[in-house]
Amino acid sequence: MPNHAHPSTALPPAAAGADHPLMRAEEIPPGVQEVILPSGERALAYSTEPTAPPPAPIAPAAPVAQPIPAWAKSTALLAPTVGGGIAIAAVGLSAAAPGLVAVSHVLWSAVAAIATGGAVAAAVIGRVRARITAAQRPHVTQHITANGVFGRATGSVNHR
């Protein structure tokens, strides 16, 4: 039986497609082939003859390496530097936190002292200025008299 499968390995005719539509060639698994039995029926059978392997799938084209842009290189180099700087700053702030709290209390006390001193200085300066200018300010008095509704007014001005 050349080109035919061994009869003991043939599938029953019902499974071969007598009542079913034929299978397409790509649906047939490897090692199985369609054979024609001596009765003339077509059947699927396990073959003892080597079959041609299915065509190998087409491999996708290998990707071509693209050069890395300069901005990506500089960003990649700056990222750890910036991150490290932030980490060091955080460690420094956590170490300095108690001192910073004390400094803030000292600064608020200094602001309060300056504000109080400024208010006192403004009050003292205002009083001293009032006394100095009151002594130096000219004092003017006027006496005006008039006789009648349409009479002529006369007066005197005194400077001290």
Side-chain angles (χ1 to χ4, degrees), residues 1-137:
M1 287 183 158
N3 293 338
H4 294 291
H6 192 274
S8 64
T9 60
L11 296 176
D19 298 322
H20 302 291
L22 296 176
M23 294 178 68
R24 294 190 314 245
E26 60 267 5
E27 293 178 341
I28 299 174
V32 175
Q33 68 182 29
E34 185 179 13
V35 293
I36 301 173
L37 298 175
S39 64
E41 294 180 291
R42 292 182 176 201
L44 293 177
Y46 291 104
S47 173
T48 57
E49 299 175 1
T51 59
I58 298 173
V64 179
Q66 298 290 328
I68 298 173
W71 66 266
K73 289 180 184 178
S74 61
T75 302
L77 292 173
L78 282 176
T81 305
V82 172
I86 291 171
I88 290 172
V91 169
L93 283 175
S94 68
L100 291 176
V101 170
V103 168
S104 70
H105 289 301
V106 169
L107 288 176
W108 279 115
S109 300
V111 167
I114 290 170
T116 305
V120 169
V124 169
I125 289 172
R127 283 191 170 186
V128 169
R129 253 184 159 177
R131 286 187 181 176
I132 291 172
T133 55
Q136 294 176 351
R137 191 177 322 150

